[in-house]
Amino acid sequence: MNDAEVELLTQTLRRTMTGTASGAALDAALAGLGWAELLAEFPAVAIPTVFRLLGETGAHAPVLNDVVLTAAGRPGGGTVRLPYSGGSWVVWERGAAATGRTLDEDLPLRPVPADGPGPVPELLARPDSTAASVPVAAGRRAVGWWLLGTGHAMLGLARTHALDRVQFGRPLAAFQAVRHRLAETLVALEGAEAALTAAGDDLGSLLAKAAAGQAALTAARHCQQVLGGIGFTAEHPLHRHVRRALVLDGLLGSARELTREAGALVRAKGTAPRLVQL
């Protein structure tokens, strides 16, 4: 796909995500736009574009299932169990609304036992095995792009507030402490994007997901400070993005867990592999 086609696709997806209810309705809308074909033919474009826009718009759809299934060599459209932080497992519900307890009121992400009934690809039933690395790595990159989009959404809200809000006769953005928080957030997000762009193997995807999770949590912390009390209110959209970042960080391994895992791998091998050819 050339740049013009990617831009047209991005605009179409953004309009769809902002104008369609999340969940099953958005899942059906994306299917109508050819999500399955796009994922199969142009995964390097489909995954960053779709998942980053999900973060930026605050929408959600169970398309992570498709990424994992496709990477495992299986047809999309189904539902799989996904590893979650703390050694637990979850299912991202597809179709009807989730039944029972969910991790977040806005996301149909339901905790399930690892050995319960249901369609579970063998490759995901053993997340520590070599065979599991391909679908798990693909899922981590997808969630990483989602976290990146969520971080940028929070940064945009904080930046707008800093420019519009007047304090002590000056725009909030004129204060150095505010500017430093926004700058640190942008640096974290740019670093995570570079890691996601370069990620290609299992370790690279692991580190990219960890960087994206840490960047989104940094964005949540700094943007909440910039927005102050208004960021805690139900009327302001920041709290939804903060909750989304917290939930997504734990999916397929939290930033803290993945950082420890990467450290253990490097210590075991006695050397750090080159992740990017500079």
Side-chain angles (χ1 to χ4, degrees):
M1 299 182 71
N2 58 41
D3 292 343
E5 290 173 330
V6 173
E7 179 60 27
L8 179 61
L9 173 66
T10 301
Q11 293 176 4
T12 302
L13 289 171
R14 188 183 295 276
R15 286 196 300 267
T16 301
M17 291 180 187
T18 54
T20 306
S22 289
L26 182 55
D27 191 23
L30 292 175
L33 291 174
W35 156 248
E37 294 77 13
L38 187 66
L39 178 61
E41 296 180 25
F42 305 103
V45 173
I47 293 174
T49 303
V50 168
F51 283 88
R52 180 166 181 161
L53 285 173
L54 284 173
E56 291 179 358
T57 61
H60 69 82
V63 288
L64 179 62
N65 292 301
D66 300 324
V67 172
V68 173
L69 286 169
T70 300
R74 302 183 180 234
T79 302
V80 298
R81 292 191 187 92
L82 301 168
Y84 199 79
S85 177
S88 58
W89 292 78
V90 296
V91 166
W92 199 302
E93 296 286 3
R94 192 159 223 152
T99 57
R101 182 173 67 90
T102 58
L103 297 184
D104 183 83
E105 62 183 27
D106 290 337
L107 293 177
L109 202 59
R110 180 170 55 85
V112 294
D115 56 353
V120 186
E122 293 181 1
L123 295 179
L124 283 181
R126 303 185 304 275
D128 295 328
S129 68
T130 303
S133 61
V134 174
V136 170
R140 282 172 174 166
R141 292 194 297 272
V143 178
W145 285 109
W146 199 336
L147 284 161
L148 184 71
T150 300
H152 276 290
M154 291 186 281
L155 179 59
L157 292 171
R159 179 181 178 274
T160 300
H161 178 75
L163 291 172
D164 294 343
R165 174 75 171 176
V166 176
Q167 194 78 24
F168 305 113
R170 300 169 60 191
L172 197 61
F175 293 95
Q176 192 176 52
V178 172
R179 300 173 83 161
H180 282 179
R181 288 188 180 276
L182 296 179
E184 185 176 335
T185 299
L186 180 60
V187 168
L189 293 172
E190 291 290 326
E193 182 172 356
L196 285 164
T197 302
D201 59 5
D202 188 36
L203 181 58
S205 301
L206 182 153
L207 293 173
K209 167 64 166 58
Q214 188 58 53
L217 296 178
T218 297
R221 183 173 66 254
H222 287 333
C223 294
Q224 180 63 77
Q225 289 291 325
V226 171
L227 282 158
I230 192 174
F232 288 101
T233 63
E235 291 77 11
H236 197 279
L238 178 71
H239 70 96
R240 296 186 181 90
H241 292 293
V242 171
R243 292 206 324 268
R244 184 67 50 84
L246 291 170
V247 173
L248 292 179
D249 177 56
L251 191 57
L252 297 174
S254 68
R256 179 175 295 181
E257 290 173 332
L258 295 180
T259 301
R260 287 200 298 264
E261 183 178 340
L265 289 172
V266 171
R267 186 171 62 249
K269 292 183 178 181
T271 180
R274 182 184 293 274
L275 298 177
V276 180
Q277 187 67 38
L278 300 177

